[in-house]
Amino acid sequence: MAKDKKNEKKMPKYIFVTGGVLSGVGKGITAASIGAILKAKGYKVSIQKCDPYLNVDAGLLNPVEHGECFVTHDGRETDLDLGHYERFLDFETSKYSSVLSGALYQELINKERNGGFHGKTVQMVPHFTDLVQEKIAKASEGSDIHIVEIGGTVGDYEGLSFIEAIRLFANRVGRENCLYVHVVYVPWINTSKELKTKPAQNALKDLRGFGIIPDVVVCRTERPAPRAICEKIAAFSGIDKDAVLNLPDIESVYDVPFNVLKSGVLEILNKFVGDDKEPDMSKWKEFSRLRGKKWAKTVRVALVAKYVGNDDAYICVTEALKAAAAWEKVNIEIDWLNAEEMSDYEKADMDMLDTYDGIVVPGGFGDRGVEGKIRAAKYALEYNKPYLGLCLGMQVACIAAARMGGIENANSEEFGANEKDGNNVIYIMEGQVGKESTGGTMRLGDYPAKLKKGSKAAQAYGEEEVVERHRHRYEVNQKFLPEIEGQGGLGLVVSGTSPDGKLVEFVESPRCKFFVATQAHPEFKSRPLNVHPLFREFVKSLK
Ligand code: GLN
């Protein structure tokens, strides 16, 4: 790796990934795949996303529009790209891995208000661009290679200062320590049956206009493009033809690293890092083989949730289930059941649940569809149907158990339940009152839990002290534990708490084959090559 001349410290090398023509053509997956390949070559790789939104974090973004809100171990609410990064690189992103304009402006303005600029004019260049560079340097600490993805497309009005910042970054660390990768879309025009290179040429012209000549151009196409297409783009854009690569669509995102390898990028990466060691992709290959296979057994999972219609709203959950199924050698079908349509505990709904091998109730907020989720949990408890409850999924399970245990109107304070009725089995956590609609104030990120010896949770984890990520405001009111536990073993027992015992972290049914629910979000820590034990055990119980 590069050396810092002054103190001979190891310095990371940087890969900047930008996009042209349109967004949403797989820039993030390309960046993560490059990272996975470098990791497979033995490097310590980190990755970061810079997004020009004016939001401070992703916590208040609507998951129907933006997909899942991901949470880093240190409690930053980010967009789902960081989840892809963690899955591809099997590493933990941090609050430094997500850089949003809003947070940068907030930091600059706070500094200005506190007199931190000593009377100077505060400007986009150099103050904003310097801050972007500082964040990049910070996020890269301790890595051999640091990848930075810039959200949106080059030329977007709000993203210009990020492009300027990454251009300037080469002055800071040396151009030879930076690799610029530009991902462009090359459309297929059906009427004339040809691929059109003009938008890509224009996108490259835009990037050059900002002073960056890319080292790699990735042409995204729906089908494999003839080599002549890449060569044409190279010729018109003044880029070496071997640096213009084609990445056609592929069925599974987890096969993108293989596609990237096939594209010829390895030679460029080898030159950049200065070694030609073959990446060890054996675990990826094994995963790809297992995933691509048609197994004799198919398991069916009902995902009972509010956010139907956007598959990305629970992407970590579905990815964890699919990966667990591949390693457990079963096919998996995951159906979304709209919790709002299941509110009446109609027999038909329950008959439908019966057709599934297991139920997952994922996280969620607000009262929409909540009765349906409670009923799904009750059904699982009554009929010994494997159940995995994630955050809200644990809260509704406790409400269901308490209703079965005699508190007929058991509910959560979040759903407008009336405390006077003494029915708030789930209530707001200390210190959360009044913060219900403010960003970044939930109990966020890693917290430890102590598991009960011999519990299903402890057995699944293979240990009794675990750390999971969290994102919640409400908790189980332990005053109702007798009702939640119920009579005759029909209810739920607490199988994990915070180390001080104050907070319920895990509940389970000792009677059911698999009924484990947690206040945490284990899905954030599941990786395709290293599936989370709760997901693995849940899927195993469906076989
Ligand atoms: N709405 C619940 C709470 O805030 C659950 C949160 C979640 O599922 N992430 O406690």
Side-chain angles (χ1 to χ4, degrees):
M1 290 295 95
K3 292 260 171 54
D4 178 336
K5 299 225 171 52
K6 256 197 252 124
N7 45 24
E8 288 291 299
K9 205 172 65 190
K10 194 181 78 173
M11 256 176 37
K13 279 182 173 272
Y14 295 85
I15 300 181
F16 296 103
V17 183
T18 51
V21 182
L22 357 138
S23 62
V25 290
K27 176 161 43 81
I29 299 291
T30 307
S33 298
I34 290 175
I37 292 168
L38 288 166
K39 186 168 180 211
K41 274 172 71 73
Y43 290 104
K44 187 155 185 251
V45 182
S46 53
I47 189 162
Q48 175 181 37
K49 171 105 189 257
C50 293
D51 256 319
Y53 303 141
L54 286 183
N55 301 70
V56 170
D57 60 36
L60 298 176
L61 292 175
N62 180 350
V64 177
E65 246 172 73
H66 291 269
E68 176 186 76
C69 173
F70 189 75
V71 182
T72 61
H73 71 89
D74 51 0
R76 178 63 55 92
E77 293 168 293
T78 78
D79 82 2
L80 50 78
D81 284 308
L82 266 67
H84 286 309
Y85 296 163
E86 294 208 3
R87 282 189 288 280
F88 273 78
L89 296 178
D90 192 3
F91 93 123
E92 293 208 306
T93 55
S94 72
K95 61 183 176 200
Y96 300 113
S97 313
S98 168
V99 177
L100 262 66
S101 291
L104 299 183
Y105 287 131
Q106 195 178 49
E107 193 173 328
L108 285 177
I109 290 168
N110 287 344
K111 187 171 167 187
E112 191 273 340
R113 290 292 78 194
N114 291 322
F117 289 101
H118 312 294
K120 293 254 180 331
T121 312
V122 187
Q123 296 182 288
M124 292 304 285
V125 181
H127 300 105
F128 188 88
T129 48
D130 277 355
L131 192 56
V132 174
Q133 292 179 69
E134 251 173 57
K135 300 291 173 198
I136 293 173
K138 181 82 196 157
S140 70
E141 276 173 11
S143 316
D144 299 324
I145 295 153
H146 183 62
I147 302 174
V148 182
E149 181 196 348
I150 308 291
T153 49
V154 171
D156 292 348
Y157 187 69
E158 54 190 8
L160 298 183
S161 36
F162 284 101
I163 305 299
E164 176 62 1
I166 61 167
R167 184 188 71 79
L168 286 166
F169 204 83
N171 297 345
R172 191 188 263 235
V173 299
R175 179 64 176 86
E176 69 284 8
N177 294 317
C178 298
L179 189 86
Y180 293 93
V181 179
H182 198 43
V183 181
V184 293
Y185 182 62
V186 180
W188 169 258
I189 305 300
N190 206 27
T191 42
S192 55
K193 302 267 180 285
E194 59 179 337
L195 285 162
K196 284 293 193 187
T197 62
K198 185 61 78 100
Q201 291 173 40
N202 287 338
L204 283 157
K205 202 157 73 188
D206 287 344
L207 188 62
R208 270 204 319 267
F210 296 117
I212 297 175
I213 298 178
D215 304 288
V216 181
V217 176
V218 174
C219 301
R220 290 278 299 110
T221 51
E222 279 163 54
R223 288 176 247 175
R227 197 53 217 144
I229 291 291
C230 293
E231 286 176 5
K232 184 172 173 192
I233 291 172
F236 280 88
S237 315
I239 289 164
D240 181 25
K241 65 178 173 20
D242 294 332
V244 183
L245 313 169
N246 177 219
L247 216 57
D249 283 357
I250 196 159
E251 211 170 292
S252 162
V253 291
Y254 298 115
D255 284 332
V256 175
F258 298 112
N259 236 9
V260 169
L261 274 175
K262 255 195 268 164
S263 75
V265 82
L266 188 57
E267 281 157 38
I268 300 171
L269 293 177
N270 284 350
K271 219 156 112 198
F272 178 57
V273 295
D275 86 60
D276 53 11
K277 202 169 135 232
E278 270 302 303
D280 175 8
M281 301 294 285
S282 49
K283 215 164 168 201
W284 279 104
K285 275 195 192 127
E286 177 64 356
F287 179 56
S288 172
R289 187 184 71 83
L290 294 176
R291 231 189 39 247
K293 247 184 134 131
K294 193 96 195 95
W295 302 103
K297 169 104 188 146
T298 298
V299 297
R300 299 185 72 231
V301 174
L303 190 69
V304 182
K306 171 175 75 170
Y307 301 121
V308 276
N310 180 351
D311 282 358
D312 282 349
Y314 291 108
I315 187 160
C316 285
V317 177
T318 50
E319 292 304 298
L321 287 170
K322 286 188 223 163
W327 293 108
E328 286 301 324
K329 302 192 166 106
V330 288
N331 313 312
I332 189 162
E333 271 174 40
I334 305 169
D335 283 349
W336 292 68
L337 300 192
N338 187 347
E340 283 173 88
E341 288 166 8
M342 293 184 41
S343 295
D344 297 329
Y345 211 170
E346 296 269 342
K347 190 177 170 306
D349 287 335
M350 299 306 121
D351 284 350
M352 185 176 54
L353 278 178
D354 210 27
T355 65
Y356 290 93
D357 299 301
I359 298 170
V360 176
V361 177
F365 294 85
D367 65 347
R368 259 180 51 208
V370 81
E371 282 301 316
K373 296 176 200 174
I374 296 169
R375 272 140 193 177
K378 184 163 181 265
Y379 170 83
L381 259 181
E382 275 177 350
Y383 294 96
N384 188 7
K385 188 64 88 180
Y387 179 92
L388 180 61
L390 308 167
C391 203
L392 182 69
M394 182 190 95
Q395 298 177 353
V396 296
C398 290
I399 295 170
R403 287 186 186 178
M404 288 162 75
I407 309 177
E408 267 168 44
N409 60 349
N411 217 321
S412 163
E413 201 172 341
E414 184 182 8
F415 317 141
N418 188 348
E419 172 60 28
K420 276 195 231 86
D421 287 341
N423 58 346
N424 281 336
V425 169
I426 308 295
Y427 67 166
I428 194 148
M429 285 179 1
E430 223 178 272
Q432 289 287 344
V433 181
K435 296 185 180 162
E436 288 84 335
S437 51
T438 51
T441 55
M442 280 188 246
R443 179 170 179 256
L444 292 166
D446 273 358
Y447 284 94
K450 247 183 17 220
L451 303 180
K452 205 163 116 191
K453 208 183 177 75
S455 62
K456 285 214 174 79
Q459 277 167 21
Y461 280 97
E463 50 195 339
E464 283 157 33
E465 276 171 34
V466 299
V467 175
E468 290 290 359
R469 296 193 203 161
H470 293 72
R471 182 173 187 244
H472 65 119
R473 266 187 226 288
Y474 297 85
E475 61 163 317
V476 175
N477 183 346
Q478 297 203 41
K479 149 176 130 186
F480 293 105
L481 285 185
E483 286 85 358
I484 291 172
E485 282 166 9
Q487 298 293 316
L490 266 184
L492 294 169
V493 298
V494 174
S495 53
T497 63
S498 53
D500 62 7
K502 286 194 176 147
L503 220 94
V504 173
E505 288 278 8
F506 288 81
V507 296
E508 63 187 53
S509 157
R511 192 182 56 93
C512 296
K513 188 174 171 198
F514 185 94
F515 191 116
V516 178
T518 167
Q519 188 59 80
H521 285 279
E523 68 272 23
F524 292 149
K525 286 175 77 169
S526 190
R527 318 273 189 249
L529 304 188
N530 193 4
V531 178
H532 191 287
L534 284 184
F535 282 87
R536 190 95 194 235
E537 288 307 308
F538 170 69
V539 170
K540 206 182 267 177
S541 76
L542 311 179
K543 294 207 271 187

